[in-house]
Amino acid sequence: MILTLAFRNLFHDRIRLAVTLVGILFSIVLVAVQLGLYLGASNMITANIDHAKADLWIAAYGAKSFEDGGMLLTPRERHQALATPGVKAVIPLVVRFAEWRKPEGGSTRVVLVGTDAEDGGLVPFDLVEGTWEDIKAPEAIAVDKTYLNELGIKGLGDTAQIANGRVRVRALTDGVRSFTQSPYAYTTLNRSRALFGDSDNTTFYLVQLQPGANVQKVQHELASRLEGAEVLTHEEFRDRSLKQWLFRTGAGVALIGGALLGSLVGTVIVAQTLYSSTKDHLSEFATLRALGSSSGYIHKVILAQAGISAVVGYLLGISIALTILVFSRNTALPMVMTPGLAFWLFALTVGMCAISALSAIVKVTKIDPATVFNR
Amino acid sequence: MSSEPVLEAIDIVKELGSGAGKVRAVKGASLTLVPGELTLLMGPSGSGKTTLLSILGCILTPTSGTLRIAGVDTTKLGPEEMADLRRKHMGFIFQSYNLFPTLTALENVRIALDVRGQKGFAAANRSEEVLRDVGLAYRLKSYPGNLSGGEQQRVAVARAIASSPSIVLADEPTAALDGENGHAVMALLARIAKEQHRSVLAVTHDPRTLSYADRVVRIEDGRIVGEERRPEGLDAPEIADLTKRRKAHA
Ligand SMILES: Nc1ncnc2c1ncn2[C@@H]1O[C@H](COP(=O)(O)OP(=O)(O)OP(=O)(O)O)[C@@H](O)[C@H]1O
Ligand SMILES: [Mg+2]
């Protein structure tokens, strides 16, 4: 009967129910989009780091992100690292902004990534056309399909100019988007060095450890041996990149702020409608109390009202959020939805509605069953 | 027929309001209810009938005095324990019915069982049974808004007796009803007292209700000023009439 009464109380006033649901729905959509974009941005920022097989990253001192390394590390650091106990392999990786001159004129910036797949460090991922072998061909390079327009090319076989040399597209990735809006271009280590007119420097060394080696210990040892370089764990480097792009630029703050605002607005709307619904049904709650119901019983009715609103509002909200997700797929910042995020959104909705129920519960706690006779 | 009292109120005093607006609504009233009797509490407006009824029903706590329900002293009980007593021993009937407008007749009765932890089929069957008993078998699925005043009050009576309380308290149960419906509800209350052996106390202004009473208690200005009792063994003609009609029906 608790659920029945809660349902009837809710559906009794359809307009108020609509307001409640729209409130929850907007709030869920807002939070889902903001957090979905945040997740999307995070994924973009860390995709290359996550795909690299490295226990530790050696970067030039002060490197702020994957894209911000320069080419300051020399073979000397590599030899020092290799001589450190516990280290199995030290794999060079070049990452650097470069000028991309379009075949038909004009130019844009790309992030050129130089890596040798054979080394087992970073292997270009999500290739949909061509293979890593194709990238080894002279002048070869891989870019992402979704950026062809911006790069002023049509597809495989087209040529362009990067820094000092000509490149030809031999492979295509799909969906490897860049948060900086400068597309990633993948080539071999040596070609990337040649394009930048450099022979043996590098941006990062990916350090792989021997089985059983203690990551922290090796990190500490490396740090003390290498001057002017920093040694970061996978997680540390990831966090640093996220911090750089999401928080130094304010983008993440705006997204998280939007999400907080969304949940706040939702809570206020639901609290308001639930409170006014409770006020309208106060005489019924007083009757219930006079009939001998415990206050817990009445609280359950109100919580059930909140819970039903939460479930219905969530289902509507998440459907709209998923629709938005589909439409955002090929934009500069695609939204991401994971089962985890969907679950947290549901938890948030339920929490929001439970908090909203508090004001109504406080109101109903004050009812005097004696009022039943004075009507 | 004499039985142990189910309710004993001794020297009940109740002050309402506060400060300058403080009113002594009940000024030392004593009253006992025994099973099988319909008692009427009569008195002028403002004499404290509703206040006393609320105290007897464990809805208000007296300022002083003792109230015993089924032998249990209620003096030191908190709100949840009072609710517990209401749940265990009381059925209430109100002047304006106080039905839940969004629930059907059947559901209105069921919810009174639900708050007592009686759920499922048994509760549904019991609700249907009491509604049948008050003559509303054909109205189970109707909402209060679609019922006449008399029908609504009969739903309220069904709700009050569904859990078989030992005490049924009614505040002006006929005040909003026309003559015929008023008589029907009083006959019902008298029958509940007699056949189901409950204590029924009804506050009323209405002289038409007198003929149903086993006992009439008069209250004036917060004090019990008199009590009349129908001679034993004599049924009110209306009760006899109703019993006859029910037998003919069966
Ligand atoms: N909440 C309150 N605060 C102050 N005084 C009150 C309050 N409720 C009732 N009273 C007063 O207490 C007295 C008794 O009221 P009560 O409602 O018990 O009378 P009653 O006999 O039921 O009257 P009626 O026949 O009009 O229903 C009245 O003088 C009334 O004005
Ligand atoms: Mg009154």
Side-chain angles (χ1 to χ4, degrees):
Chain A
M1 287 306 284
I2 288 178
L3 275 182
T4 311
L5 190 61
F7 256 110
R8 302 286 170 80
N9 280 354
L10 279 177
F11 284 86
H12 177 64
D13 189 338
R14 305 277 162 96
I15 292 179
R16 181 161 50 212
L17 178 65
V19 172
T20 310
L21 292 181
V22 168
I24 298 176
L25 182 154
F26 264 116
S27 145
I28 289 306
V29 169
L30 196 62
V31 176
V33 168
Q34 302 284 324
L35 292 184
L37 292 178
Y38 181 88
L39 267 190
S42 310
N43 284 356
M44 273 188 216
I45 291 164
T46 61
N48 280 292
I49 300 174
D50 290 341
H51 275 92
K53 291 186 189 62
D55 298 308
L56 293 167
W57 290 68
I58 299 174
Y61 194 83
K64 293 191 191 73
S65 69
F66 183 75
E67 288 82 0
D68 180 49
M71 281 178 75
L72 302 171
L73 299 180
T74 64
R76 210 173 80 97
E77 276 100 19
R78 178 155 190 264
H79 292 127
Q80 284 173 327
L82 274 172
T84 307
V87 171
K88 187 181 82 187
V90 178
I91 304 156
L93 176 68
V94 167
V95 181
R96 207 169 161 186
F97 281 107
E99 181 92 1
W100 169 283
R101 255 164 275 137
K102 302 175 188 177
E104 321 249 293
S107 74
T108 185
R109 253 178 15 143
V110 296
V111 177
L112 185 65
V113 180
T115 174
D116 283 342
E118 292 84 358
D119 295 343
L122 176 64
V123 184
F125 47 97
D126 295 342
L127 283 168
V128 288
E129 284 187 60
T131 63
W132 174 245
E133 289 301 313
D134 296 319
I135 303 176
K136 289 203 288 192
E139 300 182 341
I141 195 167
V143 294
D144 198 80
K145 256 170 88 166
T146 57
Y147 286 118
L148 289 178
N149 257 342
E150 277 169 76
L151 296 172
I153 51 177
K154 297 206 174 49
L156 289 183
D158 282 2
T159 57
Q161 187 96 10
I162 289 186
N164 295 333
R166 203 168 80 124
V167 292
R168 184 184 294 274
V169 177
R170 292 284 189 186
L172 291 174
T173 60
D174 189 15
V176 181
R177 305 277 307 178
S178 165
F179 185 77
T180 62
Q181 298 306 315
S182 298
Y184 292 110
Y186 296 91
T187 189
T188 60
L189 184 66
N190 280 334
R191 189 166 309 114
S192 68
R193 282 176 171 156
L195 287 169
F196 290 125
D198 197 313
S199 60
D200 47 16
N201 285 353
T202 188
T203 316
F204 301 109
Y205 285 120
L206 310 184
V207 179
Q208 295 175 345
L209 301 187
Q210 266 150 8
N214 181 315
V215 179
Q216 252 117 50
K217 228 169 111 189
V218 178
Q219 179 184 20
H220 200 253
E221 185 62 33
L222 281 172
S224 66
R225 289 183 185 214
L226 304 171
E227 281 162 34
E230 274 189 284
V231 185
L232 303 168
T233 64
H234 175 83
E235 281 305 314
E236 285 167 350
F237 190 44
R238 224 175 159 268
D239 288 352
R240 187 180 283 197
S241 289
L242 284 174
K243 233 176 248 163
Q244 167 66 12
W245 294 121
L246 287 177
F247 295 97
R248 294 262 161 71
T249 63
V253 179
L255 290 172
I256 288 180
L260 283 178
L261 201 68
S263 35
L264 193 72
V265 168
T267 309
V268 170
I269 293 179
V270 179
Q272 163 59 28
T273 54
L274 206 59
Y275 182 81
S276 74
S277 157
T278 305
K279 245 176 92 179
D280 281 6
H281 295 280
L282 215 52
S283 63
E284 289 160 41
F285 288 126
T287 303
L288 214 47
R289 192 81 173 118
L291 294 182
S293 89
S294 60
S295 44
Y297 189 94
I298 294 174
H299 297 169
K300 278 184 204 156
V301 175
I302 293 174
L303 285 173
Q305 279 181 240
I308 295 166
S309 311
V311 171
V312 178
Y314 173 79
L315 290 178
L316 293 174
I318 203 85
S319 340
I320 293 181
L322 288 175
T323 313
I324 295 176
L325 181 141
V326 170
F327 282 108
S328 81
R329 197 154 273 166
N330 285 320
T331 62
L333 188 47
M335 190 184 142
V336 168
M337 176 62 66
T338 62
L341 179 56
F343 169 81
W344 283 113
L345 283 173
F346 183 65
L348 175 78
T349 319
V350 171
M352 213 165 75
C353 289
I355 291 174
S356 307
L358 282 181
S359 61
I361 284 178
V362 167
K363 176 86 191 159
V364 90
T365 304
K366 291 195 190 127
I367 50 170
D368 180 0
T371 57
V372 284
F373 292 116
N374 304 334
R375 284 194 293 153
Chain B
M1 181 167 48
S2 83
S3 311
E4 287 291 297
V6 287
L7 180 152
E8 284 175 277
I10 304 154
D11 286 332
I12 300 292
V13 172
K14 181 65 181 176
E15 287 171 350
L16 290 169
S18 57
K22 199 148 155 180
V23 174
R24 195 169 263 234
V26 179
K27 302 173 178 169
S30 299
L31 186 71
T32 302
L33 296 180
V34 295
E37 276 189 1
L38 169 57
T39 306
L40 295 186
L41 182 61
M42 300 189 89
S45 186
S47 57
K49 302 184 296 294
T50 298
T51 309
L52 182 58
L53 187 82
S54 308
I55 291 169
L56 300 183
C58 297
I59 283 176
L60 283 180
T61 42
T63 309
S64 70
T66 306
L67 175 68
R68 275 197 285 270
I69 306 291
V72 176
D73 188 354
T74 65
T75 312
K76 294 209 171 66
L77 300 184
E80 291 306 315
E81 290 158 310
M82 299 274 273
D84 203 42
L85 274 183
R86 294 199 290 276
R87 208 152 56 223
K88 284 196 180 116
H89 300 287
M90 313 275 173
F92 288 97
I93 297 160
F94 311 99
Q95 177 174 340
S96 37
Y97 327 130
N98 292 25
L99 297 177
F100 294 79
T102 57
L103 300 181
T104 64
L106 189 73
E107 289 164 341
N108 263 286
V109 178
R110 272 188 75 173
I111 199 159
L113 293 174
D114 201 65
V115 302
R116 291 171 166 83
Q118 301 174 31
K119 297 168 197 284
F121 278 119
N125 287 341
R126 171 67 183 155
S127 307
E128 203 175 320
E129 185 190 345
V130 284
L131 279 168
R132 233 176 259 291
D133 197 35
V134 300
L136 286 177
Y138 61 103
R139 286 303 213 174
L140 301 178
K141 297 246 151 61
S142 301
Y143 288 89
N146 299 328
L147 296 175
S148 74
E151 288 171 327
Q152 288 188 58
Q153 194 60 304
R154 279 188 281 155
V155 174
V157 172
R159 178 175 70 181
I161 61 172
S163 64
S164 306
S166 47
I167 304 162
V168 175
L169 301 173
D171 193 17
E172 316 256 8
T174 61
L177 301 176
D178 62 22
E180 196 179 329
N181 280 310
H183 277 293
V185 165
M186 285 315 292
L188 199 52
L189 291 179
R191 182 159 70 77
I192 288 164
K194 284 279 154 302
E195 292 180 2
Q196 302 174 3
H197 208 58
R198 302 181 207 290
S199 305
V200 182
L201 176 72
V203 162
T204 177
H205 268 122
D206 185 353
R208 294 171 303 177
T209 60
L210 269 173
S211 54
Y212 295 94
D214 298 302
R215 186 182 159 213
V216 177
V217 176
R218 305 228 175 240
I219 181 170
E220 263 171 45
D221 192 26
R223 291 191 181 84
I224 307 286
V225 293
E227 185 174 329
E228 302 137 48
R229 182 172 280 279
R230 178 188 311 289
E232 291 230 5
L234 195 83
D235 260 6
E238 279 84 354
I239 301 176
D241 188 25
L242 184 93
T243 315
K244 227 181 287 163
R245 262 190 285 154
R246 277 172 48 86
K247 281 193 181 129
H249 205 76

